[in-house]
């Protein structure tokens, strides 16, 4: 409990800027209290009470953080009232989605070898620390389901195995959101582009380099898509694609087309 209170005090000193920093994994933006909420070493009511009080005094950061706490409880309600979500889509028609059977791609995703730096850095953060930044959880999940075409339940299971803050309701809700199978999920045709997400939320590549040392010397203009470097640029950066860092498993534009077709079939069948 002492550790939780220390983290909470630290977060309160920067909560007003939470809404501006929370999506950037290289910054100290989140509260880092998820594992304490998971194991009950701090009470969510105490957090919500403090956030609400600060929101009433005009803190935009506190308001946004309170909404995140509400989402957590929302997913607990969904699980309690809809236990079928454990192992199945909240919206049953999406259980008909035909995912690809690619054990090699799943392994590459789990190990951070997809060839997309932000996705790989996120997975290596998870595997080495037991934690993954919330924005990156969405990016990594979207990539598995909508770029690699792999069943969201396999990703959900990997997160359950690796996350120190694993919470069944929150994990399931997050994965069903990314897979467009949940009650509140983003539409299936909204697909994260892993390169533009990287450019937007880790522009200088600071987070990427922290977990992908093989890209340490790759210039910022290429850090988000290193396969676009010329052969001389790869040699200069000591990062030859296919040798020092993997080539992309898929082309995002082509993968997006396949995903749209995959979901359209289900939508048309259930119409």
């Amino acid at each position: 409990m002492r550790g939780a209170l220390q983290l909470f005090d630290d977060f309160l000193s920067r909560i007003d800027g939470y809404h501006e920093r929370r999506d950037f994994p290289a910054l100290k933006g989140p509260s880092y209290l998820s594992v304490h909420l998971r194991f009950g070493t701090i009470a969510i009511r105490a957090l919500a009470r403090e956030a609400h009080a600060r929101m009433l005094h005009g803190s935009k950061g506190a308001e946004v953080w309170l909404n995140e706490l509400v989402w957590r409880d929302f997913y607990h309600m969904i699980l309690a009232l809809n236990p079928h979500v454990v192992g199945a889509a909240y919206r049953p028609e999406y259980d008909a989605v035909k995912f690809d059977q690619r054990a090699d791609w799943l392994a590459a995703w789990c190990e951070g070898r997809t060839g997309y730096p932000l996705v790989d850095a996120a997975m290596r953060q998870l595997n080495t620390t037991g934690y993954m930044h919330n924005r990156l959880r969405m990016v990594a999940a979207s990539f598995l389901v909508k770029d690699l075409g792999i069943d969201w339940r396999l990703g959900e299971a990997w997160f359950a195995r690796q996350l120190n803050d694993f919470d069944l309701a929150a994990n399931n809700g997050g994965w069903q959101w990314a897979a467009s199978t949940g009650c509140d999920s983003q539409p299936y045709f909204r697909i994260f582009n892993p390169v533009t997400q990287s450019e937007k939320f880790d522009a200088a590549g600071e987070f990427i380099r922290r977990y992908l040392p093989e890209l340490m010397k790759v210039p910022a203009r290429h850090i988000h898509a290193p396969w676009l470097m010329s052969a001389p640029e790869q040699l200069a950066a000591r990062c030859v694609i296919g040798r020092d860092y993997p080539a992309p498993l898929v082309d995002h534009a082509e993968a997006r087309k396949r995903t749209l077709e995959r979901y359209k079939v289900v939508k048309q069948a259930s119409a």
Side-chain angles (χ1 to χ4, degrees):
M1 182 174 288
R2 182 179 301 173
L5 292 176
Q6 288 175 344
L7 282 176
F8 191 32
D9 286 343
D10 174 72
F11 179 59
L12 289 178
S13 70
R14 49 190 175 83
I15 192 173
D16 291 342
Y18 173 75
H19 62 299
E20 298 173 334
R21 299 170 64 88
R22 69 189 186 112
D23 282 320
F24 299 88
L27 301 181
K28 189 178 181 181
S31 70
Y32 304 109
L33 286 166
S34 56
V35 71
H36 291 282
L37 283 169
R38 164 64 179 84
F39 289 102
T41 49
I42 199 165
I44 192 169
R45 290 185 179 183
L47 305 186
R49 181 169 58 246
E50 184 67 33
H52 184 257
R54 290 174 180 252
M55 181 187 74
L56 293 179
H57 284 87
S59 174
K60 180 63 176 178
E63 179 183 355
V64 173
W65 189 58
L66 179 59
N67 285 336
E68 293 299 305
L69 297 180
V70 170
W71 274 114
R72 179 181 180 275
D73 266 18
F74 173 77
Y75 284 139
H76 277 252
M77 179 200 69
I78 292 298
L79 176 60
L81 298 179
N82 303 274
H84 74 275
V85 299
V86 180
Y90 173 86
R91 294 188 283 177
E93 64 268 25
Y94 283 104
D95 282 326
V97 175
K98 300 297 183 182
F99 292 107
D100 294 333
Q101 304 298 317
R102 291 298 304 259
D104 53 339
W105 285 5
L106 175 62
W109 177 84
C110 289
E111 296 166 12
R113 297 186 289 103
T114 70
Y116 283 86
L118 189 63
V119 175
D120 291 343
M123 298 307 295
R124 295 195 201 178
Q125 180 187 40
L126 173 64
N127 295 337
T128 58
T129 71
Y131 171 81
M132 186 189 290
H133 186 276
N134 187 59
R135 163 61 57 174
L136 301 186
R137 297 186 196 204
M138 294 188 288
V139 172
S142 176
F143 186 83
L144 181 72
V145 178
K146 295 181 176 177
D147 278 79
L148 301 185
I150 292 175
D151 195 325
W152 60 270
R153 282 159 284 224
L154 298 176
E156 180 193 21
W158 184 254
F159 273 25
R161 173 179 170 176
Q162 300 297 102
L163 284 170
N164 290 334
D165 64 5
F166 166 67
D167 176 282
L168 175 58
N171 191 48
N172 180 272
W175 273 95
Q176 296 227 35
W177 181 90
S180 301
T181 62
C183 61
D184 65 309
S185 56
Q186 67 171 354
Y188 73 89
F189 50 82
R190 292 183 182 169
I191 300 172
F192 282 178
N193 182 317
V195 174
T196 56
Q197 287 285 309
S198 185
E199 293 170 340
K200 183 174 182 179
F201 297 112
D202 191 33
E206 183 179 349
F207 178 83
I208 289 170
R209 292 188 182 89
R210 188 181 304 167
Y211 288 98
L212 302 180
E214 60 268 44
L215 302 184
M216 187 63 69
K217 295 186 180 298
V218 173
R221 68 181 183 278
H222 289 306
I223 194 69
H224 312 290
W227 61 89
L228 296 180
M229 289 189 292
S230 66
E233 287 174 324
Q234 293 180 34
L235 290 173
R238 299 179 185 176
C239 181
V240 175
I241 301 303
R243 185 191 73 185
D244 303 307
Y245 184 69
L249 289 179
V250 295
D251 175 86
H252 172 71
E254 291 301 318
R256 184 178 186 279
K257 292 178 183 177
R258 290 193 296 272
T259 291
L260 292 176
E261 289 302 316
R262 190 190 313 271
Y263 279 80
K264 281 180 181 177
V265 169
V266 173
K267 289 290 290 183
Q268 290 169 355
S270 61

